[in-house]
């Protein structure tokens, strides 16, 4: 999985039928120091993540391991909202402090 | 999924038999600011996307999660035509404004 | 899928048993302007492609969606010989002109 | 698989239900000379790896080939703790010496 | 598949149980001119490759298409020892000459 930050939403009316009801978030990938990388993903959201929250994204077939998603043409999914990232060198991120 | 822009078509007569009837689009990947990236994909089209439209592509096994595609040797598919991309910092793309 | 150009062959006697009878082509990936990229693949050939022909390669599990290939340890396959690549800005490639 | 070094942990309360009980490690990818690369992964841990240990990570569907993980949305897993890396040019890493 | 050269071995005692008995080789990826690339893989060996031999590696789910490997958390496997690489521009590699 990779760390990412929610930046916005992508809306589509004309899409593969099984994608109806799937919410697409544009998430920015983060480096291991928490800086935004040039890479992003448009990921399905199965955890209700909000703007600016740090999340974990799973890609590839892992992105479809969720009830009702096995047959959907999705290759990236937001699978967790991050509470804390703790490194040996110290705390990298804490949701509580980030939002305060 | 990644944002991409439809730039053209690829035609092949001699191909793996199950690819008959599959329409191949050449799509240019887009950055998170909407700029063209050097990367492209030749993607199967299952939504009827047109030249210059912004689309979402799904890659890997996700590209075959569409009726009749499970056994086709496809690794990239156009799965949605994008209406809007809305970021916290403002609107990145709106199909209506793009075509007007 | 990606555009590639056939450059040669790879031969192996000692290999995973199910690879017997599989023809391996070394193909050079092409950019969206038809220029050779530094990247290449050694791909199984299921369409009988020849030296210098433009082809489409499929990678990952998509490379095994061909009769008799599902259980072979292959991660890249030449799945089509390209006839034409037509972009909104003009023709990028035509097999007929390329060979004449 | 790739060599990586364990740097810390990622904690999430709100996550895809099947991820309950999965421990997430932030691991830094290592070059073939043992230097840290800019790339990292947040990987599930199934071997009980500790901070600063060298490990092997498996990515993609390979990351779910562990009892109870097949249906979890995981795309990277720590699958081994490395004892030694021995190259023709000499020893690159030995856990015993690293910890002494 | 990609061309690679065997450089050494990786040994692990504490690993995912199904990896017992799997031999791990560190292989250096090669460019299309036979030069070493910065990228490497730690790959399972199913063909008995030796130090400095040129091999083909298969990655992703393709790496598990070998008897007894389907359920092992492996994402890269040495699937062939290369005899020759012949390009339109001439011979790139011949195992016989390389070893003589």
């Amino acid at each position: 999985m990779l760390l990412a930050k929610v930046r916005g939403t992508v809306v589509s009316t004309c899409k593969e039928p099984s994608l109806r009801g799937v919410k697409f978030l544009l998430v920015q990938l983060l480096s291991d120091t928490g800086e935004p990388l040039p890479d992003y993903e448009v990921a399905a959201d199965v955890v209700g993540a909000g703007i600016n929250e740090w999340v974990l994204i799973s890609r590839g077939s892992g992105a479809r391991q969720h009830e009702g998603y096995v047959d959907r043409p999705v290759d990236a999914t937001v699978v967790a909202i991050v509470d804390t990232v703790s490194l040996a060198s110290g705390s990298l991120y804490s949701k509580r402090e980030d939002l305060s």
Side-chain angles (χ1 to χ4, degrees), chain A:
Chain A
M1 283 71 66
L2 292 176
L3 296 166
K5 192 173 187 171
V6 180
R7 287 190 48 207
T9 55
V10 176
V11 173
S12 165
T13 312
C14 178
K15 55 192 164 188
E16 206 276 340
S18 71
L19 293 177
R20 270 179 219 138
V22 176
K23 183 175 183 183
F24 293 118
L25 297 179
L26 191 149
V27 301
Q28 192 88 27
L29 302 198
L30 299 174
S31 76
D32 65 333
T33 58
E35 297 301 313
L37 294 167
D39 298 318
Y40 71 94
E41 279 283 349
V42 177
D45 179 25
V46 302
V47 294
I51 289 286
N52 285 331
E53 282 192 306
W54 280 34
V55 296
L56 287 180
I57 60 162
S58 188
R59 300 196 282 187
S61 52
R64 296 193 300 282
Q65 306 308 315
H66 178 66
E67 201 185 331
Y69 274 70
V70 171
D71 298 329
R72 286 171 157 165
V74 160
D75 64 4
T77 297
V78 174
V79 297
I81 299 174
V82 174
D83 291 333
T84 59
V85 181
S86 307
L87 305 185
S89 53
S91 171
L92 176 63
Y93 172 77
S94 168
K95 185 181 171 183
R96 196 172 296 184
E97 293 171 14
D98 189 57
L99 298 181
S100 64

